[in-house]
Amino acid sequence: MSTSKTRVGIIGAGPSGLMLSHLLHLSGVDNVVIEARSREYCENRIRAGILEYEVAELMRATGLGERMDSVGSRHDGTNFLVNGELHHINFQNLVGKHVMLYSQHEVVRDLIAARLKAGGELIFEASDAAVHDYETGDPYITYTQNGINHRLDCDIIAGCDGFHGICRPAFPAGMIVEYDRLYPFGWLGILAEAPPSLDELIYANHPNGFALLSMRSPTISRLYLQCAPDEPLENWPDDRIWEELALRLGHDGFNLNTGKIFQKSVTAMRSYVAEPMQTGRLFLAGDAAHIVPPTGAKGLNSAIADVAILHRALEAHFKHNDHEALASYTPICLKRIWQIERFSWWMTSMMHKFDNHGPFDARMQTAELNYILTSSAGQMTLAENYVGLPLH
Ligand code: FAD
Ligand code: DHB
């Protein structure tokens, strides 16, 4: 068994683990990231695309803005398509902020590059990670890499290991209360070699179900269709996908650009929160503690918000001997997270087709959309939440 020591042992090299590592490094706090997958896998995992205003600002303030500002694009607003009518919501005019369209895997690439350039320790392809003695002052992590068993002693363990990680299940039995909602639909997502059909996103509510038009670059479109949560991909040959997208996104003057589909997957939709987010010296962040349906574009953003909060508490703990700061981690995060959960649930409820809806529910959904999209107060609510709440 080889042994080493650091201050913060971080499990998971997703956006939350890598950003925490980066922020701690900038504060002079030693840390090590332990990741089950390869670097290549982490850098190519296709997921989210929208960065909230303050998340993008955090990237810039911590030296990660360059590629985001050249390869990504600034979106001052977004579109909602309801009853064939396109409504533009101008975030910039409503709340003076914008969002950035920049892929999650690009954020991950930037973070990995920054950590490696700074001499950071990222351990990829580490199997059998386990956390120990986190209720005492001497926690440690064990893992195996290339057949060699390792022990990493640390002061604090950060569980940034996603929804299926090992940190949340390591909490004492019965301690965590789970709040959970599964939605009766999923999203079929594609990436296609097709120039974006519009310069901003379209969130569409259609009698056949939700559709979303997004993009990755001037030549690549990212598109989603509401489908069954366990929809077999075989049900969706490329022609059917394009037909359905054209139908659900169709409106006056719109022409859907099509092209070669090079990635296709189905994501189930779920809202989930685990409380509390800490026990002893073990802290959860990001998907390890909570997930949202993607309709509000919040998963990645709330993972970054958690670690911004955790970083501040760890900085207070290590640099200023303020040991109370860590005790407030869970309540500070949860207050924000429940706002995010509400917004994501609300957007999901408002934009999707629910098979169990009767005529009254359907009318309520339409009335709510009409109100939100045509009232300045409604638009403001949408814009304020979409661009993101403050990171604390
Ligand atoms: P993750 O990104 O899940 O990172 C966790 C890391 O921990 C992973 O690298 C994993 O390999 C590693 N890990 C897990 N277990 C172990 C272990 N035992 N040992 C070591 N390492 C471990 N959000 C949106 O806003 N919009 C979207 O369109 C969107 N699409 C998504 C599509 C999919 C298929 C999924 C799964 C999620 C999507 N999300 C989306 C959500 C968003 O991507 C997540 O909220 C975000 O990745 C959370 O970051 P994280 O760092 O907390 O967790
Ligand atoms: C994207 C994904 C989302 O869930 C969303 O709400 C907006 C954009 C995307 O992948 O581009």
Side-chain angles (χ1 to χ4, degrees):
M1 168 92 65
S2 92
T3 60
S4 51
K5 187 163 172 46
T6 191
R7 279 191 151 170
V8 183
I10 301 170
I11 306 207
S16 59
L18 290 167
M19 181 59 93
L20 180 61
S21 172
H22 179 61
L23 296 174
L24 287 172
H25 162 72
L26 295 178
S27 303
V29 177
D30 278 355
N31 65 86
V32 174
V33 179
I34 294 166
E35 165 62 47
R37 304 289 196 151
S38 67
R39 175 180 176 183
E40 195 194 4
Y41 182 94
C42 294
E43 289 189 336
N44 291 295
R45 192 162 32 197
I46 302 295
R47 287 187 173 174
I50 294 282
L51 301 187
E52 291 177 354
Y53 179 79
E54 285 208 18
V55 170
E57 288 288 290
L58 179 68
M59 296 272 292
R60 293 186 187 104
T62 60
L64 299 168
E66 203 177 304
R67 254 175 23 99
M68 177 184 75
D69 285 322
S70 62
V71 182
S73 52
R74 173 183 159 148
H75 285 212
D76 285 348
T78 198
N79 298 288
F80 285 79
L81 180 64
V82 181
N83 286 330
E85 213 179 302
L86 198 68
H87 301 259
H88 185 247
I89 303 292
N90 189 317
F91 307 142
Q92 197 61 44
N93 288 352
L94 288 159
V95 293
K97 291 179 182 167
H98 58 266
V99 295
M100 290 297 297
L101 187 114
Y102 190 54
S103 300
Q104 176 167 330
H105 70 277
E106 300 289 2
V107 174
V108 166
R109 285 176 190 182
D110 293 343
L111 281 163
I112 290 176
R115 290 306 296 120
L116 293 179
K117 191 170 169 207
E121 206 174 336
L122 306 181
I123 296 162
F124 289 101
E125 300 180 72
S127 54
D128 303 326
V131 291
H132 309 270
D133 292 359
Y134 42 83
E135 302 293 356
T136 73
D138 300 303
Y140 64 98
I141 299 169
T142 52
Y143 63 93
T144 304
Q145 195 193 33
N146 297 328
I148 297 169
N149 296 327
H150 295 264
R151 170 179 168 141
L152 176 67
D153 290 292
C154 33
D155 296 319
I156 298 286
I157 300 175
C160 300
D161 50 348
F163 189 63
H164 301 288
I166 49 109
C167 291
R168 191 178 69 253
F171 273 50
M175 182 181 191
I176 286 186
V177 180
E178 295 178 303
Y179 300 86
D180 203 2
R181 165 148 315 172
L182 276 172
Y183 297 87
F185 40 75
W187 280 10
L188 170 69
I190 63 158
L191 279 168
E193 287 169 9
S197 310
L198 210 69
D199 53 354
E200 288 178 341
L201 275 58
I202 305 178
Y203 287 86
N205 172 304
H206 186 274
N208 280 15
F210 173 78
L212 171 60
L213 177 143
S214 182
M215 63 270 322
R216 287 293 177 267
S217 74
T219 54
I220 306 289
S221 290
R222 176 78 164 143
L223 297 135
Y224 300 92
L225 283 169
Q226 178 180 349
C227 62
D230 52 355
E231 186 85 36
L233 281 176
E234 306 84 82
N235 287 356
W236 288 90
D238 295 2
D239 287 351
R240 181 177 175 211
I241 292 177
W242 288 122
E243 254 169 53
E244 196 59 29
L245 284 168
L247 183 72
R248 295 190 197 179
L249 293 166
H251 58 279
D252 274 355
F254 178 77
N255 193 12
L256 181 68
N257 295 332
T258 60
K260 183 171 179 277
I261 296 176
F262 61 93
Q263 208 255 357
K264 231 188 249 189
S265 61
V266 171
T267 310
M269 311 271 279
R270 183 175 203 162
S271 299
Y272 173 93
V273 180
E275 296 187 3
M277 291 169 63
Q278 65 196 87
T279 178
R281 290 178 169 238
L282 173 61
F283 295 80
L284 302 178
D287 278 16
H290 44 79
I291 50 179
V292 286
T295 329
K298 293 294 175 209
L300 159 67
N301 291 299
S302 50
I304 300 289
D306 283 359
V307 295
I309 295 165
L310 184 55
H311 162 250
R312 266 199 305 278
L314 288 169
E315 194 178 45
H317 176 82
F318 286 116
K319 308 290 277 193
H320 311 299
N321 288 321
D322 171 6
H323 306 303
E324 294 307 306
L326 280 170
S328 334
Y329 174 66
T330 289
I332 292 175
C333 280
L334 284 177
K335 197 170 166 203
R336 193 180 189 283
I337 283 158
W338 279 111
Q339 294 295 314
I340 304 300
E341 290 286 343
R342 187 204 66 80
F343 178 67
S344 303
W345 159 84
W346 176 68
M347 283 279 282
T348 302
S349 313
M350 202 164 56
M351 295 308 297
H352 289 77
K353 178 185 182 206
F354 286 78
D355 287 337
N356 62 351
H357 269 184
F360 181 82
D361 299 302
R363 289 291 188 287
M364 284 297 105
Q365 194 189 51
T366 310
E368 181 160 33
L369 278 165
N370 284 339
Y371 168 68
I372 290 298
L373 298 174
T374 58
S375 133
S376 52
Q379 291 188 3
M380 184 82 91
T381 293
L382 193 56
E384 181 182 43
N385 284 277
Y386 195 91
V387 301
L389 303 174
L391 281 188
H392 48 77

